[in-house]
Amino acid sequence: MYAVMVSGGKQYKVSQGDVINVEKLPVEVGAEITFDEVLFVANDDGTVAAGNPCVAGAKIVGKVVAQDKAEKIIVFKYKPKKDFRKKQGHRQPYTGIQIESIIAE
């Protein structure tokens, strides 16, 4: 069974037991979180449910396993022949969530 859910303006395809990194959410590590915006649910027997835009009664329950930052990326800007160089680093914060169950009613 898998589902497509929305969090932070992005869509994620999840199955039970998956660990996904979503945009930072204001929850504690170890807390349980529920996602109600489920766009699509596919069962193991081949039946599917597609929402318009969300599937009614479907939700995804997960557990927060991490509040961390991603790997550093380097942002380097320069203008040729003008002696302009600017180097910046950025680490995007994220929340790691382990999917515990997909509930489709």
Side-chain angles (χ1 to χ4, degrees), residues 1-2 42-47:
M1 172 182 241
Y2 72 91
N43 293 320
D44 293 331
D45 60 359
T47 60

Side-chain angles (χ1 to χ4, degrees), residues 6 16 21 37 60 74 76 86 91-92 100:
V6 176
Q16 187 172 354
N21 294 334
E37 286 189 89
I60 296 174
I74 303 299
F76 186 72
K86 184 177 180 181
R91 293 184 70 188
Q92 184 71 22
E100 292 183 341

Side-chain angles (χ1 to χ4, degrees), residues 12-27:
Y12 300 92
K13 178 183 173 186
V14 296
S15 298
Q16 187 172 354
D18 287 353
V19 177
I20 59 170
N21 294 334
V22 299
E23 292 292 320
K24 186 173 174 78
L25 298 172
V27 290

Side-chain angles (χ1 to χ4, degrees), residues 20 32 81:
I20 59 170
E32 189 173 275
K81 303 175 199 161

Side-chain angles (χ1 to χ4, degrees), residues 41-103:
V41 177
N43 293 320
D44 293 331
D45 60 359
T47 60
V48 297
N52 187 13
C54 296
V55 178
K59 60 183 175 180
I60 296 174
V61 179
K63 182 175 145 186
V64 178
V65 294
Q67 290 280 11
D68 206 0
K69 290 183 180 180
E71 293 293 317
K72 182 179 275 192
I73 62 164
I74 303 299
V75 180
F76 186 72
K77 300 177 181 180
Y78 80 101
K79 295 187 189 266
K81 303 175 199 161
K82 300 296 180 194
D83 197 26
F84 172 79
R85 283 165 173 66
K86 184 177 180 181
K87 183 178 178 181
Q88 290 180 307
H90 177 74
R91 293 184 70 188
Q92 184 71 22
Y94 69 86
T95 301
I97 297 175
Q98 181 171 15
I99 305 301
E100 292 183 341
S101 64
I102 299 171
I103 301 165

